[in-house]
Amino acid sequence: MDTSSGPSGTIRKLFAADLPAFRAHLLRLDPASRHSRFIGAVTDAYLAGYADRCLASRGLVFGFVEDGVVRGAAELQPFEISGERRAEAAFSVERGWRRRGIGSALFARLIVSARNRGAAALVVNCMSENGAMRALARRFSAEIVFERGDLIGTIKGLGPTPFSLAEEMIDDAHGLAMSALDYQRRFMAPSRAPN
């Protein structure tokens, strides 16, 4: 695979029908990627349960889907501090699909979704040695603070706009259609294991 080329898949919201593909993505992450994403070592059993909880939560999960296979994911989990709405972001992109703009595209989608949900700030936690995540947060103008050995990036000043609301509605309609096609493709295609 030519990893220097741009992404050929689709960034879209993941739905319940995408659970097997999201779970498989998390299970394909190598040990270093798992450690970086979850800020510690995690087992296959933990990841399978996490995928179930993540898609059943009130948060959102977006995926980079290529040929029906999730190769990257971004999660948005809402929370409140002193009555202020915020959202936490987390990312994972499989090693062979990095440096193709997938993380940036996922981050952009999370910002729109956080904005449309009234989040005053989007927060990203990462390990201090995760240079790629630090660079990604800076690219989106995150204020980065070092706290207890980890870096916390915060993007403030969010809020919905007519354009952001329309953008998400269009993206959601497209994402739902693509999810239905991917679901159909999984059941019509002969069984094969993703690379």
Side-chain angles (χ1 to χ4, degrees):
M1 166 182 41
D2 177 13
T3 57
S4 65
S5 66
S8 61
T10 303
I11 301 288
R12 65 173 178 79
K13 192 177 288 181
L14 299 182
F15 300 94
D18 298 306
L19 176 60
F22 177 54
R23 184 184 303 121
H25 158 69
L26 293 176
L27 292 171
R28 282 192 303 274
L29 294 175
D30 61 86
S33 297
R34 289 179 182 197
H35 189 269
S36 204
R37 162 59 190 87
F38 292 96
I39 310 180
V42 292
T43 64
D44 286 355
Y46 174 84
L47 290 175
Y50 178 83
D52 293 342
R53 289 187 306 277
C54 204
L55 283 180
S57 76
R58 63 187 186 116
L60 299 172
V61 181
F62 292 91
F64 171 74
V65 183
E66 186 176 65
D67 296 325
V69 178
V70 175
R71 297 297 187 175
E75 303 154 41
L76 183 73
Q77 292 296 333
F79 67 97
E80 284 192 22
I81 293 181
S82 302
E84 180 182 68
R85 283 186 180 170
R86 294 177 171 226
E88 182 177 12
F91 300 86
S92 56
V93 178
E94 293 173 30
R95 190 166 298 281
W97 277 259
R98 293 183 187 158
R99 302 202 184 285
R100 296 171 62 191
I102 294 167
S104 292
L106 287 166
F107 207 137
R109 284 298 304 272
L110 285 188
I111 290 173
V112 169
S113 292
R115 175 183 303 278
N116 290 344
R117 278 148 190 80
L122 180 63
V123 179
V124 180
N125 294 329
C126 71
M127 298 170 68
S128 59
E129 64 268 13
N130 189 339
M133 194 64 232
R134 282 195 326 262
L136 185 59
R138 276 195 201 101
R139 189 174 307 133
F140 286 92
S141 303
E143 175 187 308
I144 298 185
V145 177
F146 186 75
E147 189 176 294
R148 292 186 306 267
D150 296 330
L151 294 172
I152 300 174
T154 305
I155 299 173
K156 296 180 180 176
L158 301 176
T161 66
F163 178 75
S164 69
L165 293 167
E167 180 182 5
E168 187 169 14
M169 283 186 347
I170 291 166
D171 286 344
D172 282 355
H174 179 260
L176 186 58
M178 294 306 295
S179 179
L181 290 173
D182 288 339
Y183 184 77
Q184 183 179 15
R185 187 178 323 165
R186 278 195 299 273
F187 289 102
M188 293 182 67
S191 293
R192 64 177 171 89
N195 296 331

